[in-house]
Each structure stands twice: as structure tokens, then as C-alpha cells.
Amino acid sequence: MNKHYDNFKEITLTTNIKAVIDGYYTFEDTIFYGEKGGMLSDKGTINGLEVLDLKWDGDTLLHKVDGELSNPVEMTVCRRARYLNTAVQSALHLLDGYYAKLGLYLPSVGVNPDNQWFEINSKDIDEAHLVEVQKFMDDCIMNSIDKEVSYIKGSEYEDEFYHKFDELRIVKFGDVDRQPCGTLHINNTSDIMNFVILDHEKTSRGTKVYFTCNFATNDKFKEEHDLLKNAAKAASVSKYELVDKVNDLVNMTKKQKKEIEDLKKELLTYKADE
């Protein structure tokens, strides 16, 4: 188990090349995390060269860079991407704990910054429930709950499924959630920064809830702000008048459609008379 993953803010490392396999490097040590366990891969550089790909070969992480490397090796993980990927992973852990206490669980999740969501195995989810979930996440962030990491024998864990593992890494956030996990996590729930529920829809298995957190919220706000600004500019109104302008256009379209239908009827009547 890579102990560097216990502190997600550890983003620099000096090490040496161990081997080169089909264009991928392995090192004596690594600070990078490759996509696994529902968490996206890190981004960053090695000796100033962009990391193009990270993939696992068992417990060994293979690194592909944009060029050739030589010792010593200086690794730098992109701080922004590390925060974003780790925040969403930890937010979902908190939600795991929240729903477990309700006798529910999350059968699937989405962690892509452009599309963050979780699915609940229940269709009895309404706006009032989501207001409570939002309050729960707000409280977790404001209460600054520390993450605790411990290592135990697999046979010591309560779920028999994990007894086959020699060692388990247990991630715990206060009394909210405790579970085995090998991915990175924020050091404190305040590192999530923000969490906003956007929308929800029914699925075949329950309810899918869309949200945004951490830097993804910043990006989404800027994207939608620009979209609103450009739409208002195209309509020659301020963004605050845009809704009224759209409603006017919709009503005008309906009116014109009715006028066209009336003219068609008059034309048919005229032709029939002739």
C-alpha cells in the first residue's frame, strides 16, 4: 500500500527509474495515482514532461510521459486536479455513510468533473429529501471533520468479504462513514470546499442525483455564466431580462403559429368556394 496516498496534499517526490516497459516507466517510488476504485487518474509532470497516461499492472503503477526520462526523477502532481478528484471521492464516502443509516446505498456514481452524480437505490426521493442531503453535506464541510486512516488485517474486518486480504486500509470520517478504501481522500471535510445538488431524475434502479463540488463548481459556474451572457447578448437584453425575452418569443411563436393555421383554413375555404 502506497503510504503517500494517506496525505492528498503530498504532490512532489524525488525518486529514480526502476524499469521501462513498452514505453511506460516504473519507479522506485511514486506520488501519482492511476485511475482505480472509482477515482480518476492524477495529472502532472515528471522532470517537466507531461504525464500522458497512468495504468496499473497489479499493484505497480506504470507512467507514460511526453519524452524520455533520466535520473534523478522529479515528480509533480497537478494540485488542482488532485484536489478535485479527491474531493469528489470523499464527498461520496460521506454520502455512503448518510444513506447507510437510512438503510439505502449508492449502486453507481459518476466522478467526471463535467458530470458528477450518484444513484440511490430508491425512487422515493423528492425535493424535500434533497434539501436534507444538501444540509448534511453543508454541515460536514463546515464542521471540518478530520479523516482518519488505519491499517488492519483483512481477517479483523467485520465484513467476511475482506477476510481474504492480508491488509486493509480503513478510511474514517468521524461517525459519518468508515469503510475499506485504497484511494486518496481529503484530510479534512473542509477540503471539499463546496457541494451543490443540481438536479435529479428517476432511473430503473432508483434516483440519479446530479451535483457539483470543489473546483468543478467554479468551472460550471463560469461555463453557465458565459452561456447566459452570450444568450442575453444574442437577444439584445440584459441577462436579468432574458427569461422575459424568452417567454415573449415563445408567446409570439404560438401566436404566429395560430395565425398561420387560421390563414390555412381561410385558404382552404376560399378554394372550396371556387
Side-chain angles (χ1 to χ4, degrees), residues 28 47 176 268:
E28 293 176 358
N47 285 1
V176 177
L268 289 173

Side-chain angles (χ1 to χ4, degrees), residues 87-234:
V88 67
Q89 184 76 352
S90 300
L92 291 168
H93 267 237
L94 298 174
L95 290 164
D96 278 339
Y98 178 85
Y99 282 105
K101 291 174 182 177
L102 297 178
L104 301 172
Y105 67 94
L106 309 182
S108 60
V109 299
V111 297
N112 189 298
D114 296 328
N115 188 26
Q116 298 174 332
W117 54 269
F118 59 92
E119 190 176 21
I120 312 161
N121 68 322
S122 172
K123 295 187 178 184
D124 296 328
I125 302 298
D126 56 17
E127 290 289 348
H129 170 83
L130 295 179
V131 168
E132 290 300 314
V133 176
Q134 181 68 65
K135 182 179 182 304
F136 163 76
M137 291 300 299
D138 289 344
D139 288 344
C140 285
I141 294 170
M142 289 188 290
N143 290 338
S144 301
I145 305 168
D146 287 331
K147 171 205 65 186
E148 299 174 42
V149 176
S150 59
Y151 293 84
I152 64 173
K153 293 179 181 179
S155 58
E156 296 176 355
Y157 193 66
E158 51 266 31
D159 189 337
E160 290 185 1
F161 172 81
Y162 294 95
H163 290 184
K164 59 187 176 184
F165 298 103
D166 293 332
E167 184 180 58
L168 281 184
R169 178 175 181 263
I170 306 298
V171 177
K172 180 175 179 289
F173 288 101
D175 61 355
V176 177
D177 183 67
R178 174 182 176 272
Q179 61 177 290
C181 187
T183 68
L184 288 95
H185 288 278
I186 44 92
N187 297 337
N188 183 284
T189 52
S190 62
D191 292 322
I192 295 174
M193 298 183 186
N194 58 68
F195 180 97
V196 182
I197 292 177
L198 301 174
D199 201 358
H200 70 288
E201 63 182 7
K202 301 305 177 185
T203 67
S204 59
R205 294 184 294 188
T207 306
K208 191 173 186 179
V209 180
Y210 297 92
F211 70 94
T212 178
C213 77
N214 200 259
F215 291 122
T217 305
N218 300 15
D219 296 339
K220 189 172 289 293
F221 171 80
K222 183 65 168 63
E223 177 186 355
E224 296 192 358
H225 171 79
D226 290 344
L227 180 63
L228 184 63
K229 177 182 176 182
N230 292 333
K233 183 178 179 180

Side-chain angles (χ1 to χ4, degrees), residues 245-260:
K245 181 69 172 181
V246 170
N247 286 332
D248 288 344
L249 288 172
V250 170
N251 291 333
M252 185 183 298
T253 301
K254 289 179 179 178
K255 181 180 178 181
Q256 289 176 342
K257 185 177 179 180
K258 186 178 184 305
E259 289 175 350
I260 291 171

